[in-house]
């Protein structure tokens, strides 16, 4: 007999569960998806320089990296449902506090605390996603949620913040956490197998190297993308495009990027990982390079659309690749940590390079970062492709 509790919960590996898990993973880091809006809003609303606003955003994400790292050691031992509920409430309290703050130094500290809480939340959410049957599909849904709502935020929040104040930004983050909190009871328990719960990620020899390369690929990809995305509205202004056009273009490109996530959900790993990853990373480099010609509105739109699609396409594969290294979710939490470090380092790199508004140098450095990501991702992706091919199995599997 089906109980009421069972009826009220989504099928563990269904699309509804993937969507609910995506909201949970997004809540801790939603500010990243609207980072251009936050930096522009802080600059205009509080009269900060682009560099000061970028440092606040970077502190937020470095805090998330610390929280994600801490989650690696906690996800196997604490009940994810109770912990994530508490973390969502904490996020809402910090966002409400941020509304009344104006000092750059205080905002850096408070947003770093917000990042730590959010990083813990994402780490726990990633560990749960790793327990699903097809992590790549859920990570693909995660990017759909992030890009869809992030597109809305980038389109409307800069203008709302300019008209009404920076409080609009923090209320938007508060509202997202509140909605996510109401969704968590619908998720299944996703209990960890006893054998997996008592194991840590133990990798030896080449498997250790493969895992490190996978983490490095995640870091490089996120850092390169975030270095440009955080300042994409400022880049438009530098090339003579107005804010109204640029915010609409970036928001629309973010929505178009959802196509990349949908493609991942459809493909999963049936075609392997190497060909999709290499193809998408090459397209990313081309898209970045087109930003050198942003004086043309068409080029600016094409570049943003292309890189939006590849960002949403590549990340599910990279995170899914990390999740393959253990069954309980600890490796996925490590992947989340690498992702946060990349997301935090991007704005910091941009802040350093843009002291003299050298956007061309920023574009070139970001392009090199994507090429290095391709090199790092190739070997572990190839190994996993061989592992899934029964006609040509590797000598040793990922799992002992």
């Amino acid at each position: 007999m089906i109980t009421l509790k069972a009826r009220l919960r989504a099928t563990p590996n269904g699309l509804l569960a993937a969507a609910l898990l995506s909201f949970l993973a997004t809540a801790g880091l939603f500010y990243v998806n609207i980072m251009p809006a936050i930096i522009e809003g802080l600059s205009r609303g509080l009269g900060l320089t682009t560099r000061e606003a970028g440092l606040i955003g970077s502190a937020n994400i470095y805090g998330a990296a610390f929280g994600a790292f801490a989650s690696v050691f906690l996800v196997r031992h604490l009940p994810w449902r109770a912990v994530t509920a508490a973390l969502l409430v904490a996020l809402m309290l910090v966002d409400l506090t941020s509304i009344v703050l104006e000092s750059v130094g205080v905002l850096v500290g408070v947003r770093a605390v917000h990042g730590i809480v959010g990083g813990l939340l994402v780490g726990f959410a990633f560990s749960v996603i790793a327990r699903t049957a097809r992590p790549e599909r859920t990570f693909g849904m995660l990017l759909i949620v992030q890009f869809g709502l992030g597109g809305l935020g980038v389109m409307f929040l800069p203008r709302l913040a300019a008209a009404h104040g920076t409080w609009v930004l923090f209320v938007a983050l508060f509202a997202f956490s509140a909605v996510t909190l109401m969704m968590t009871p619908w998720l299944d328990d996703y209990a960890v197998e006893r054998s997996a719960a008592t194991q840590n990620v133990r990798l030896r020899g080449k498997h250790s190297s493969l895992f490190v390369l996978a983490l490095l690929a995640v870091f490089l990809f996120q850092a390169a993308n975030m270095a440009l995305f955080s300042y994409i509205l400022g880049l438009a202004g530098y090339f003579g495009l107005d804010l109204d056009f640029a915010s609409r273009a970036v928001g629309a490109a973010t929505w178009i990027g959802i196509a990349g996530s949908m493609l991942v959900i459809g493909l999963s790993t049936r075609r392997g990982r190497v060909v999709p990853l290499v193809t998408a990373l090459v397209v990313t480099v081309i898209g970045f390079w087109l930003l050198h010609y942003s004086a043309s509105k068409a080029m600016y739109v094409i570049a943003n659309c292309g890189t939006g699609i590849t960002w949403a396409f590549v990340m599910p594969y990279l995170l899914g690749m990390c999740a393959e290294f253990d069954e309980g979710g600890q490796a996925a939490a490590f992947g989340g940590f690498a992702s946060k470090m990349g997301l935090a380092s991007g704005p910091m790199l941009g802040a350093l390079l843009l002291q003299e508004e050298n956007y061309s140098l920023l574009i070139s450095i970001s392009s090199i970062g994507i090429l290095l990501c391709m090199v790092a991702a190739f070997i572990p992706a190839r190994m996993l492709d061989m592992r899934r091919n029964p006609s040509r199995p590797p000598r040793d599997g990922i799992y002992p």
Side-chain angles (χ1 to χ4, degrees):
M1 183 176 179
I2 299 176
T3 64
L4 177 61
K5 178 180 177 181
R7 286 200 302 268
L8 289 177
R9 291 195 176 170
T11 304
N13 296 307
L15 287 179
L16 177 58
L20 296 177
L21 286 170
S22 297
F23 270 83
L24 187 64
T26 299
L29 212 64
F30 183 53
Y31 55 88
V32 173
N33 301 103
I34 59 172
M35 187 60 75
I38 289 178
I39 289 179
E40 194 68 24
L42 289 173
S43 299
R44 290 173 176 262
L46 298 181
L48 307 181
T49 65
T50 300
R51 182 172 178 272
E52 288 172 332
L55 290 175
I56 292 172
S58 188
N60 210 153
I61 310 176
Y62 271 120
F66 180 86
F69 182 72
S71 74
V72 170
F73 307 100
L74 302 174
V75 293
R76 293 175 183 269
H77 308 294
L78 297 178
W80 70 266
R81 193 184 300 277
V83 171
T84 55
L87 292 172
L88 285 166
V89 172
L91 284 179
M92 290 188 283
L93 292 175
V94 177
D95 282 325
L96 287 178
T97 302
S98 300
I99 292 175
V100 299
L101 302 178
E102 296 183 357
S103 166
V104 173
V106 176
L107 273 170
V108 166
V110 170
R111 298 314 294 177
V113 171
H114 182 279
I116 292 171
V117 177
L120 283 167
L121 176 61
V122 176
F124 273 87
F126 276 22
S127 73
V128 177
I129 290 174
R131 300 168 201 169
T132 61
R134 295 182 180 177
E136 287 88 0
R137 290 185 64 194
T138 306
F139 283 126
M141 182 65 74
L142 169 63
L143 270 294
I144 289 177
V145 171
Q146 290 182 343
F147 276 53
L149 297 178
L152 281 174
V154 173
M155 287 182 74
F156 296 110
L157 287 178
R159 283 174 285 174
L160 289 173
H164 303 289
T166 55
W167 65 268
V168 173
L169 304 170
F170 300 118
V171 167
L173 295 174
F174 173 90
F176 192 93
S177 296
V179 170
T180 302
L181 183 61
M182 291 186 285
M183 291 180 175
T184 53
W186 294 81
L187 286 165
D188 198 68
D189 290 330
Y190 296 102
V192 183
E193 295 288 338
R194 181 173 296 182
S195 59
T198 57
Q199 294 174 358
N200 291 320
V201 180
R202 293 187 178 94
L203 304 168
R204 296 183 180 89
K206 66 180 179 181
H207 294 156
S208 177
S209 300
L210 290 172
F211 187 46
V212 170
L213 285 173
L215 295 178
L216 179 61
V218 171
F219 170 82
L220 289 169
F221 186 74
Q222 293 289 64
N225 273 284
M226 203 62 193
L228 276 176
F229 183 67
S230 297
Y231 304 98
I232 199 69
L233 297 180
L235 182 147
Y238 175 80
F239 282 99
L241 306 180
D242 64 87
L243 175 63
D244 216 35
F245 166 79
S247 60
R248 287 199 306 270
V250 174
T254 304
W255 281 345
I256 292 171
I258 292 173
S261 299
M262 294 177 67
L263 189 57
V264 174
I265 293 173
L267 281 177
S268 190
T269 56
R270 288 195 298 272
R271 304 282 183 180
R273 291 179 173 87
V274 171
V275 173
L277 277 173
V278 170
T279 302
L281 289 169
V282 169
V283 173
T284 302
V285 173
I286 294 172
F288 279 6
W289 206 254
L290 289 178
L291 288 172
H292 282 296
Y293 308 98
S294 292
S296 163
K297 290 184 176 181
M299 286 295 188
Y300 184 78
V301 171
I302 291 170
N304 275 284
C305 288
T307 54
I309 291 172
T310 56
W311 197 346
F313 182 82
V314 171
M315 274 311 297
Y317 279 108
L318 293 180
L319 293 173
M321 191 161 63
C322 292
E324 290 287 338
F325 285 86
D326 84 322
E327 297 175 330
Q330 194 177 34
F334 266 116
F337 167 67
S339 173
K340 307 307 171 294
M341 285 298 295
L343 292 172
S345 300
M348 182 67 73
L349 173 66
L352 294 174
L353 293 177
L354 292 178
Q355 291 185 22
E356 298 180 2
E357 291 199 329
N358 196 341
Y359 283 98
S360 292
L361 178 60
L362 177 59
I363 293 168
S364 299
I365 295 295
S366 297
S367 300
I368 293 171
I370 295 296
L371 291 173
L372 293 175
C373 168
M374 189 189 309
V375 173
F378 181 84
I379 297 175
R382 177 60 180 157
M383 181 67 174
L384 289 171
D385 283 356
M386 292 172 65
R387 179 175 176 268
R388 64 180 286 276
N389 186 349
S391 66
R392 190 182 176 187
R395 293 186 180 183
D396 301 299
I398 293 296
Y399 305 111

